[in-house]
């Protein structure tokens, strides 16, 4: 009986975490707030950290597409209206975020990330093979700035409303 060969890991197998800037830490905190408010299954801050980790693995030939996929998935609940797991979830999410995603340019970013995540197959404009790490880093920077702008007000306002509504009524 011959021993079966087990698949060997490829790429960066270290478990060291990527160091985040203070701005990125704040974004992760706000993404965690989004997770708590909307009871999402996957933690958006984990997807963000994962995207930053995978992009660092220079041995991974598909790292840009994989990182783009994770960042796009963070936007999906906002862009699709799938948020709270309650009756009228779509309407509740759109009331919660309103047109903030449009004001922050998240629709354009979502489209760009989708094109990259799908290896350019969904776009006639994107030459996936020409997307560089520098191009992707610039997109991540725009993503971070836009997400900060999109999340600051809605989460703070709705957390205050939720807290007020869950407290005992005034006597």
């Amino acid at each position: 009986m011959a021993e079966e060969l087990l698949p060997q890991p490829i790429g960066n197998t270290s478990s060291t975490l990527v160091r985040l800037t203070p701005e990125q830490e704040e974004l992760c905190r706000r993404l965690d707030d989004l997770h708590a408010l909307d009871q999402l299954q996957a933690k958006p801050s984990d997807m963000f950290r994962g995207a930053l980790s995978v992009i660092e693995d220079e041995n991974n030939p598909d790292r840009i597409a994989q990182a783009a996929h994770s960042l796009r998935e963070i936007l999906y609940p906002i862009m699709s209206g799938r948020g709270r797991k309650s009756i009228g979830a779509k309407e509740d999410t759109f009331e919660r975020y309103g047109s903030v995603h449009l004001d922050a340019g998240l629709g354009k970013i979502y489209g760009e990330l989708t094109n990259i995540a799908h290896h350019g197959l969904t776009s006639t404009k994107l030459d996936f093979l020409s997307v560089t790490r520098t191009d992707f880093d610039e997109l991540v920077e725009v993503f971070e700035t836009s997400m900060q702008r999109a999340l600051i007000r809605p989460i703070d306002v709705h957390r205050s409303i939720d807290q007020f509504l869950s407290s005992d009524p005034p006597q």
Side-chain angles (χ1 to χ4, degrees), residues 95 104 106 109 113 116 128 138 163:
E95 285 176 21
L106 296 181
I109 295 167
L113 290 169
I116 294 170
F128 176 73
E138 289 172 6
Q163 188 176 18

Side-chain angles (χ1 to χ4, degrees), residues 61-158:
D62 199 38
R63 67 192 178 135
I64 291 176
Q66 290 173 359
H69 178 78
S70 291
L71 294 178
R72 183 181 69 103
E73 290 299 308
I74 293 169
L75 294 174
Y76 188 72
I78 296 170
M79 301 305 298
S80 70
R82 291 187 183 172
R84 288 188 168 214
K85 294 181 179 179
S86 63
I87 297 173
K90 187 170 186 173
E91 292 78 14
D92 183 47
T93 300
F94 280 125
E95 285 176 21
R96 184 174 289 278
Y97 300 107
S99 63
V100 170
H101 70 280
L102 298 174
D103 296 339
L106 296 181
K108 183 176 188 277
I109 295 167
Y110 181 84
E112 290 179 27
L113 290 169
T114 298
N115 290 334
I116 294 170
H118 292 166
H119 303 90
L121 296 175
T122 58
S123 172
T124 56
K125 297 176 185 173
L126 176 72
D127 177 11
F128 176 73
L129 297 176
S130 69
V131 176
T132 66
R133 168 67 192 267
T134 302
D135 297 331
F136 188 76
D137 287 345
E138 289 172 6
L139 183 56
V140 170
E141 192 173 309
V142 171
F143 173 90
E144 290 176 22
T145 303
S146 298
M147 286 300 288
Q148 281 287 6
R149 192 175 32 224
L151 294 177
I152 288 173
R153 188 165 169 235
I155 288 179
D156 291 346
V157 167
H158 288 285

Side-chain angles (χ1 to χ4, degrees), residues 4 7-8 19 44 53 101 110 128 143 166:
E4 290 184 44
Q8 296 299 310
R19 288 195 187 269
S53 293
H101 70 280
Y110 181 84
F128 176 73
F143 173 90
S166 67

